[in-house]
Each structure stands twice: as structure tokens, then as C-alpha cells.
Amino acid sequence: MKAVTVVPGVPESLRLRDVNRPSPGRGQVLLRPVEVGVCGTDKEIIEGKYGKAPEGSQYLILGHEALAEVAELGQGVDNVGVGDLVVPTVRRPLDCDLPVDFCPVGHYLEHGIWGLHGHAAEYSVTDAQYLVRVPKELADVAVLTEPLSVVEKGIDMAFRIGQARFDWKPRNALILGAGPVGLLATMVLRLMGLNTTTVATRPPESLKARLVRDIGGKYVDATIEQVTGEFDIVVEATGSWKVAMDSVRNLAPNGVYVLLGVYPSGGSMQGVGDLMTQLVLNNRVIVGSVNAGLKHFELTLEHMRQARSQFGDWLSKLITKRVTLDNYQEAYSWTHDDIKTVLEIRTS
């Protein structure tokens, strides 16, 4: 079978390989991937900055954002059936009794990222207990489930933390970045009834700006230094440490700041003492989310249904590029105007 692979740690080792078709073990299923989403983590792995191949393999099959069809059941599987459309979660625990999305670094494997092959292949295997069944009416956008689940977890934690302190009722939200994560965060917060302002450095006539306005959000073409006002929730989705640091000042007293990314090393600590003091004096909270479990995957599907009802085909507009497996290299090139690229594994 064909699979999109890299050699972790070796820059630009991306290639389409012929590899052996896997077989499901006990408690596992064989998947026939339909679509795989491409994201910044894939870019870092291709650049040799991150990633780990499974034990005994010289390469890693990419693909952690997937929509797939169940092709075969391993022994003991009874929660899904052959032909079901499913989305697999990403992480699998290693010596960790916590919910898998709260296991510390070093105590989990990740499909297509760390120690487990991903789904950018004609077939893949995964544990049946980590599958979420997808209704057919959401099949055209279900490949967005994994990135949306990370957003759902971050926002859910923000509300839980805020409401644990007092009867917290946020009204205004600031979203930094209008890539797929920023736009999905805008959608969730609009569905929850918050006034949202999404900031990015794309022109007001761009698709990203229009998508924000289409669901009732306010779009601002600006750098973070130009953003004024205070917001009950701030969602950072640029991956820039400077934007993250500078925008803490936009968090209102008693507000919650949500980090939705992994940030590069380096940066200046100048002014961090004042920033920390303001966090303490104003009861501000910072929380991060980069992975989610079954609960938030299921919440994702509910919000997809709501978005379909309230915003029509808005979610499908986030998928701006579709590439077939034979032309896989086109899927792993990025421009500022791309939102979500999808690799189509099965086209029939």
C-alpha cells in the first residue's frame, strides 16, 4: 500500500513509500482513511524539528487528523462496525493512569507524530476504544474534528476555571490568528453567544476576514501592538511567543487566557515581572491545550451540527485545498492564504 512518510530528524525526507498493509490486533481496527488534514505539526516533522518513528521502523507515516472508514475488526471489538465512518483520537497512554490527553510528556504515543504510524496511508490501524463515530451528514467536514477538539478543550477549560471561582459570565473574546485554529475558536465562541474579535494580518477583503464576519464576528487587520481593549477570554492561535506575551495585557480582570499552540524556544523575558504581577493582582488565569480526548471530540461533533444549522456551509469553506495521494507533495506546501489543506486518500 502507499503511505506518506518521513524519516524523523532528517529534513525534507518526505516521500511516498510502498509499505506493508497492517493487520489489527486484539482491540484494534483496520481503517481505510478517507481524508487526512495537514497542519503545522506536520511541517515541523518534515523540517526535521520533531517526530519519532515507531520502534523498529526507520520511518514515520504522517497523518494525525483523519476521517476513516472501518475496514476490519480485530478480536474483541464491539463498539464500531465495518463500514462505520470514524475519527481516531491522536494519543495513546504509556504508563499513565490519567485521561490520555492529560498524560505528561514521555508518557504517551501519538499517531503520525511520536512513536505511532499515522493515517496518511491507504490503510492504518488504531485502538477501537479511541474512535469517535461520525454521522454521515458531517462527513464532508469531519476531517476538521481533531483540530476543533483542541479548541473545544481549551475553551471548555477556560469556562470551567472561570466558573469555579464565581458565577463567571464572559461576554467578550479576543482570538489571535485567523488560521484554522483561530477560525474554529471564533466559531465555537460565536456559537456560545460571545462577542468575538479576531485579529490577524490579512487584509479585510481576504477570505479569512470574510469568514469571521460571516458568523457575526469582528475582524481586525492589525498587529497585537495595535489592539486595544480588554477581553474576558483571549485565545492565542498564532504560535508566536511575542504575540502571546504582548496580548496578556488585553485580558480583563478575572479573565482566562487560552494558549492553543506550541511555541518556539527563545524570546525576551523583559517585562515578565510586571506581566506576572498583573496576572496575580487581577486574578487572571492562563491555560493551554494542544491535545484532546474522547469527550471533546464528541463535543466537537455537536458543535459541528450546530454550526451547520446556524452558519450553513461555513465549515466547509475552511478547507481551501484538496490534494490526491498521488500528488501528495502539494499538500505539504503552505501559503499565507491557505486555511486547511486536506489530503484525499480515497477518492471513490
Side-chain angles (χ1 to χ4, degrees), residues 233-303:
I233 295 179
V234 176
V235 178
E236 207 300 303
T238 69
S240 165
W241 65 264
K242 187 176 187 307
V243 171
M245 292 284 287
D246 289 347
S247 56
V248 173
R249 63 182 170 81
N250 296 107
L251 188 63
N254 301 307
V256 184
Y257 191 111
V258 182
L259 296 169
L260 294 182
V262 176
Y263 297 81
S265 59
S268 171
M269 297 296 287
Q270 183 177 0
V272 71
D274 180 62
L275 181 152
M276 295 175 72
T277 297
Q278 291 303 314
L279 288 172
V280 172
L281 295 180
N282 289 289
N283 296 301
R284 294 163 170 163
V285 177
I286 298 177
V287 66
S289 174
V290 74
N291 183 265
L294 285 170
K295 177 178 73 172
H296 291 106
F297 272 70
E298 290 165 353
L299 181 58
T300 288
L301 294 175
E302 177 57 33
H303 273 149

Side-chain angles (χ1 to χ4, degrees), residues 46 75 89 101 136 152 171 185 191 216 228 257 261 266 278 300 331:
I46 292 167
Q75 290 186 340
T89 65
D101 52 314
K136 290 186 177 179
E152 297 280 11
R171 293 179 296 175
L191 287 172
T228 60
Y257 191 111
Q278 291 303 314
T300 288

Side-chain angles (χ1 to χ4, degrees), residues 44-110:
E44 290 186 346
I45 296 171
I46 292 167
E47 292 173 346
K49 297 177 181 178
Y50 195 66
K52 180 181 178 182
E55 292 293 330
S57 177
Q58 294 182 337
Y59 59 86
L60 171 71
I61 298 175
L62 290 177
H64 60 280
E65 302 177 6
L67 169 68
E69 182 182 286
V70 176
E72 182 182 331
L73 306 181
Q75 290 186 340
V77 174
D78 59 7
N79 63 315
V80 293
V82 172
D84 284 350
L85 282 177
V86 295
V87 170
T89 65
V90 179
R91 286 188 181 173
R92 303 293 176 267
L94 281 177
D95 302 319
C96 179
D97 295 328
L98 297 170
V100 64
D101 52 314
F102 286 97
C103 289
V105 174
H107 292 271
Y108 56 78
L109 302 175
E110 293 179 309

Side-chain angles (χ1 to χ4, degrees), residues 30 34 166 225 298:
L30 179 70
V34 178
F166 61 96
E225 293 83 4
E298 290 165 353

